[in-house]
Amino acid sequence: MIKITTDSTCDLPASLLEEYDITVFPLGIVKAGKLYHDGVDIRTADIAAHVDAGGEITTTNAVNAADYEDAFRILTEKYDAVIHLNIGSGFSCCCQNAKLAAEEVPEVYVVDSENLTVGHGLMVLAAADAAREGKSVTEILNLLEGMVPRLETSFVLDRLDYMKKGGRCSAVTALGANLLKLHPCVDVIQNKMSVTKKYRGTMAKVVADYLRDRLQNRTDLDFRRVFLVDTCPGDELAGIAREILKEDGRFGEILEAKAGCTIFCHCGPNTLGLILLRK
């Protein structure tokens, strides 16, 4: 049997994690000088309330190599092998730490998703599906390697103060976008985040325009599964996106997730993302 593990940045819903028995390593979240663990003893609403009350933007801590190693040793006693998928190495040193740990424990294989949130999560699901079907370690690793360049992860942002304070965009860029009421669209490309377009208007209009742009004239997509992810306190924006995907009618499965604290720390509330897989 092959065990699939990941870190909390995959943002997969608890129901899917339980269904596939996927073990999750929570990243550290530092709020007001105190260390918490993503999804365990801190939620996104706690971060939003802290920042809205004038607190500093929270920061994130990678899982350390010793914690990975301890867990890998326990798991390899029960399973033939462990395949661990990390948030992209361009965004965190989790992958580096996991690889260091894997050098000390036989039959542990670490995969750099080169992605984040449920872009990373789609790979975790694919690995879990393959393991359930009885595929070998080599087959699963080859499958994942082939997925990396086909993943299309993007999102639109409501506000830039979280990214600015987290060092992901300059104060000048943030000020300009806020004054012009612009909402950037960010794509994950080769282990980095890049602004690929800017939308203007309310977030409801932005989300609708963004979804339609992403789907228009697309014949290169794997339509079996699509993922929506958001950091919204309510359902308005996800509802708009959901209806557009249903109207499109080509997707076999529309999955939805709420981003966890690690992602929230960098993008803030009312961010919505779409994760597609190309053929």
Short mmCIF file of all heavy atoms in Angstrom, two decimals, residues 177-208:
data_model
loop_
_atom_site.label_atom_id
_atom_site.label_comp_id
_atom_site.label_asym_id
_atom_site.label_seq_id
_atom_site.Cartn_x
_atom_site.Cartn_y
_atom_site.Cartn_z
N ALA A 177 -3.26 50.39 -7.92
CA ALA A 177 -4.40 49.50 -8.17
C ALA A 177 -5.62 49.95 -7.37
O ALA A 177 -6.75 49.95 -7.88
CB ALA A 177 -4.03 48.07 -7.82
N ASN A 178 -5.39 50.34 -6.11
CA ASN A 178 -6.51 50.77 -5.27
C ASN A 178 -7.15 52.05 -5.79
O ASN A 178 -8.37 52.19 -5.81
CB ASN A 178 -6.04 50.96 -3.82
CG ASN A 178 -5.74 49.64 -3.14
OD1 ASN A 178 -6.20 48.60 -3.58
ND2 ASN A 178 -4.95 49.69 -2.09
N LEU A 179 -6.33 53.00 -6.23
CA LEU A 179 -6.86 54.28 -6.73
C LEU A 179 -7.66 54.08 -8.00
O LEU A 179 -8.68 54.75 -8.22
CB LEU A 179 -5.71 55.26 -6.98
CG LEU A 179 -5.04 55.86 -5.74
CD1 LEU A 179 -3.82 56.68 -6.14
CD2 LEU A 179 -6.02 56.73 -4.96
N LEU A 180 -7.21 53.17 -8.85
CA LEU A 180 -7.88 52.93 -10.13
C LEU A 180 -8.96 51.86 -10.04
O LEU A 180 -9.59 51.53 -11.02
CB LEU A 180 -6.84 52.52 -11.18
CG LEU A 180 -5.80 53.59 -11.55
CD1 LEU A 180 -4.69 52.98 -12.38
CD2 LEU A 180 -6.45 54.75 -12.30
N LYS A 181 -9.14 51.34 -8.81
CA LYS A 181 -10.10 50.25 -8.59
C LYS A 181 -9.81 49.04 -9.52
O LYS A 181 -10.71 48.47 -10.12
CB LYS A 181 -11.54 50.72 -8.75
CG LYS A 181 -11.95 51.71 -7.65
CD LYS A 181 -13.43 52.02 -7.70
CE LYS A 181 -13.90 52.73 -6.45
NZ LYS A 181 -13.11 53.92 -6.08
N LEU A 182 -8.54 48.72 -9.60
CA LEU A 182 -8.11 47.59 -10.42
C LEU A 182 -7.94 46.34 -9.56
O LEU A 182 -7.52 46.42 -8.41
CB LEU A 182 -6.78 47.89 -11.11
CG LEU A 182 -6.78 49.00 -12.16
CD1 LEU A 182 -5.36 49.24 -12.66
CD2 LEU A 182 -7.71 48.65 -13.32
N HIS A 183 -8.27 45.20 -10.14
CA HIS A 183 -8.13 43.93 -9.44
C HIS A 183 -7.24 43.02 -10.29
O HIS A 183 -7.65 42.60 -11.37
CB HIS A 183 -9.50 43.28 -9.24
CG HIS A 183 -10.44 44.13 -8.44
ND1 HIS A 183 -10.46 44.16 -7.07
CD2 HIS A 183 -11.39 45.02 -8.85
CE1 HIS A 183 -11.37 45.00 -6.65
NE2 HIS A 183 -11.96 45.55 -7.71
N PRO A 184 -6.04 42.72 -9.82
CA PRO A 184 -5.13 41.92 -10.62
C PRO A 184 -5.54 40.45 -10.70
O PRO A 184 -6.09 39.90 -9.74
CB PRO A 184 -3.78 42.06 -9.91
CG PRO A 184 -4.12 42.45 -8.52
CD PRO A 184 -5.42 43.18 -8.56
N CYS A 185 -5.28 39.85 -11.84
CA CYS A 185 -5.38 38.41 -12.00
C CYS A 185 -3.96 37.85 -11.94
O CYS A 185 -3.08 38.32 -12.68
CB CYS A 185 -6.03 38.07 -13.34
SG CYS A 185 -6.05 36.29 -13.68
N VAL A 186 -3.75 36.90 -11.08
CA VAL A 186 -2.43 36.32 -10.88
C VAL A 186 -2.43 34.87 -11.36
O VAL A 186 -3.34 34.10 -11.02
CB VAL A 186 -2.02 36.39 -9.39
CG1 VAL A 186 -0.68 35.69 -9.16
CG2 VAL A 186 -1.98 37.84 -8.92
N ASP A 187 -1.44 34.50 -12.15
CA ASP A 187 -1.27 33.12 -12.61
C ASP A 187 -0.03 32.52 -11.96
O ASP A 187 0.97 33.21 -11.75
CB ASP A 187 -1.08 33.09 -14.13
CG ASP A 187 -2.40 33.06 -14.88
OD1 ASP A 187 -3.05 34.12 -14.98
OD2 ASP A 187 -2.77 31.99 -15.35
N VAL A 188 -0.12 31.23 -11.65
CA VAL A 188 1.06 30.49 -11.19
C VAL A 188 1.75 29.93 -12.44
O VAL A 188 1.18 29.10 -13.15
CB VAL A 188 0.67 29.35 -10.24
CG1 VAL A 188 1.90 28.54 -9.84
CG2 VAL A 188 -0.02 29.91 -9.00
N ILE A 189 2.95 30.43 -12.70
CA ILE A 189 3.70 30.02 -13.89
C ILE A 189 5.12 29.65 -13.47
O ILE A 189 5.85 30.47 -12.92
CB ILE A 189 3.75 31.16 -14.94
CG1 ILE A 189 2.31 31.57 -15.34
CG2 ILE A 189 4.55 30.75 -16.16
CD1 ILE A 189 2.25 32.85 -16.17
N GLN A 190 5.48 28.41 -13.70
CA GLN A 190 6.82 27.90 -13.40
C GLN A 190 7.27 28.25 -11.98
O GLN A 190 8.33 28.86 -11.76
CB GLN A 190 7.82 28.43 -14.44
CG GLN A 190 7.54 27.89 -15.84
CD GLN A 190 8.55 28.37 -16.86
OE1 GLN A 190 9.13 29.43 -16.73
NE2 GLN A 190 8.77 27.56 -17.90
N ASN A 191 6.43 27.87 -11.01
CA ASN A 191 6.80 28.01 -9.60
C ASN A 191 6.84 29.46 -9.11
O ASN A 191 7.43 29.75 -8.08
CB ASN A 191 8.15 27.33 -9.32
CG ASN A 191 8.08 26.31 -8.21
OD1 ASN A 191 7.19 26.36 -7.35
ND2 ASN A 191 9.01 25.38 -8.19
N LYS A 192 6.21 30.37 -9.85
CA LYS A 192 6.17 31.77 -9.44
C LYS A 192 4.77 32.33 -9.70
O LYS A 192 4.00 31.77 -10.49
CB LYS A 192 7.18 32.60 -10.24
CG LYS A 192 8.63 32.25 -9.96
CD LYS A 192 9.55 33.08 -10.84
CE LYS A 192 11.01 32.68 -10.62
NZ LYS A 192 11.92 33.36 -11.57
N MET A 193 4.48 33.46 -9.05
CA MET A 193 3.22 34.16 -9.30
C MET A 193 3.48 35.35 -10.21
O MET A 193 4.40 36.13 -9.97
CB MET A 193 2.60 34.63 -7.99
CG MET A 193 2.03 33.50 -7.15
SD MET A 193 1.07 34.09 -5.75
CE MET A 193 2.33 34.79 -4.71
N SER A 194 2.64 35.49 -11.25
CA SER A 194 2.79 36.60 -12.20
C SER A 194 1.43 37.24 -12.45
O SER A 194 0.44 36.54 -12.66
CB SER A 194 3.35 36.11 -13.53
OG SER A 194 4.61 35.48 -13.35
N VAL A 195 1.40 38.58 -12.44
CA VAL A 195 0.16 39.28 -12.80
C VAL A 195 0.02 39.22 -14.31
O VAL A 195 0.90 39.66 -15.05
CB VAL A 195 0.19 40.75 -12.31
CG1 VAL A 195 -1.05 41.50 -12.81
CG2 VAL A 195 0.26 40.81 -10.79
N THR A 196 -1.10 38.64 -14.78
CA THR A 196 -1.29 38.44 -16.22
C THR A 196 -2.36 39.36 -16.81
O THR A 196 -2.44 39.52 -18.02
CB THR A 196 -1.67 36.98 -16.50
OG1 THR A 196 -2.77 36.62 -15.67
CG2 THR A 196 -0.49 36.05 -16.23
N LYS A 197 -3.18 39.95 -15.94
CA LYS A 197 -4.24 40.82 -16.43
C LYS A 197 -4.75 41.65 -15.25
O LYS A 197 -4.56 41.27 -14.09
CB LYS A 197 -5.39 39.99 -17.03
CG LYS A 197 -6.44 40.81 -17.75
CD LYS A 197 -7.32 39.94 -18.65
CE LYS A 197 -8.29 40.82 -19.43
NZ LYS A 197 -9.02 40.08 -20.48
N LYS A 198 -5.38 42.79 -15.55
CA LYS A 198 -6.01 43.59 -14.50
C LYS A 198 -7.45 43.87 -14.90
O LYS A 198 -7.73 44.26 -16.02
CB LYS A 198 -5.24 44.90 -14.28
CG LYS A 198 -3.87 44.68 -13.66
CD LYS A 198 -3.07 45.94 -13.59
CE LYS A 198 -1.66 45.66 -13.06
NZ LYS A 198 -0.78 46.83 -13.14
N TYR A 199 -8.35 43.64 -13.95
CA TYR A 199 -9.78 43.87 -14.18
C TYR A 199 -10.23 45.10 -13.40
O TYR A 199 -9.66 45.43 -12.35
CB TYR A 199 -10.59 42.67 -13.72
CG TYR A 199 -10.39 41.43 -14.56
CD1 TYR A 199 -9.42 40.47 -14.23
CD2 TYR A 199 -11.17 41.20 -15.69
CE1 TYR A 199 -9.24 39.34 -15.00
CE2 TYR A 199 -11.01 40.06 -16.47
CZ TYR A 199 -10.03 39.15 -16.13
OH TYR A 199 -9.85 38.03 -16.90
N ARG A 200 -11.27 45.74 -13.90
CA ARG A 200 -11.80 46.93 -13.24
C ARG A 200 -13.27 46.71 -12.91
O ARG A 200 -13.99 46.07 -13.66
CB ARG A 200 -11.64 48.15 -14.14
CG ARG A 200 -12.14 49.45 -13.51
CD ARG A 200 -11.83 50.64 -14.40
NE ARG A 200 -10.43 51.01 -14.27
CZ ARG A 200 -9.82 51.87 -15.09
NH1 ARG A 200 -10.46 52.40 -16.11
NH2 ARG A 200 -8.55 52.18 -14.90
N GLY A 201 -13.71 47.26 -11.78
CA GLY A 201 -15.12 47.19 -11.40
C GLY A 201 -15.32 46.49 -10.07
O GLY A 201 -14.36 46.26 -9.32
N THR A 202 -16.57 46.15 -9.76
CA THR A 202 -16.87 45.44 -8.52
C THR A 202 -16.32 44.02 -8.61
O THR A 202 -16.11 43.48 -9.71
CB THR A 202 -18.38 45.35 -8.30
OG1 THR A 202 -18.96 44.54 -9.35
CG2 THR A 202 -19.02 46.74 -8.31
N MET A 203 -16.12 43.39 -7.47
CA MET A 203 -15.61 42.01 -7.50
C MET A 203 -16.59 41.06 -8.16
O MET A 203 -16.20 40.08 -8.79
CB MET A 203 -15.26 41.53 -6.09
CG MET A 203 -13.87 41.93 -5.64
SD MET A 203 -12.53 41.39 -6.76
CE MET A 203 -12.49 39.61 -6.46
N ALA A 204 -17.89 41.33 -8.07
CA ALA A 204 -18.88 40.49 -8.74
C ALA A 204 -18.66 40.54 -10.26
O ALA A 204 -18.66 39.50 -10.93
CB ALA A 204 -20.29 40.96 -8.40
N LYS A 205 -18.44 41.73 -10.79
CA LYS A 205 -18.18 41.88 -12.23
C LYS A 205 -16.83 41.27 -12.60
O LYS A 205 -16.70 40.60 -13.63
CB LYS A 205 -18.20 43.36 -12.61
CG LYS A 205 -17.92 43.62 -14.10
CD LYS A 205 -17.96 45.10 -14.43
CE LYS A 205 -17.74 45.36 -15.91
NZ LYS A 205 -16.41 44.93 -16.37
N VAL A 206 -15.85 41.50 -11.75
CA VAL A 206 -14.50 40.98 -12.00
C VAL A 206 -14.52 39.45 -12.10
O VAL A 206 -13.94 38.86 -13.02
CB VAL A 206 -13.53 41.44 -10.89
CG1 VAL A 206 -12.21 40.64 -10.93
CG2 VAL A 206 -13.24 42.93 -11.02
N VAL A 207 -15.18 38.80 -11.14
CA VAL A 207 -15.24 37.33 -11.14
C VAL A 207 -15.92 36.81 -12.40
O VAL A 207 -15.44 35.86 -13.03
CB VAL A 207 -15.95 36.82 -9.86
CG1 VAL A 207 -16.37 35.35 -10.01
CG2 VAL A 207 -15.04 36.98 -8.66
N ALA A 208 -17.03 37.44 -12.79
CA ALA A 208 -17.74 37.00 -14.00
C ALA A 208 -16.86 37.17 -15.24
O ALA A 208 -16.76 36.26 -16.09
CB ALA A 208 -19.04 37.77 -14.15
#
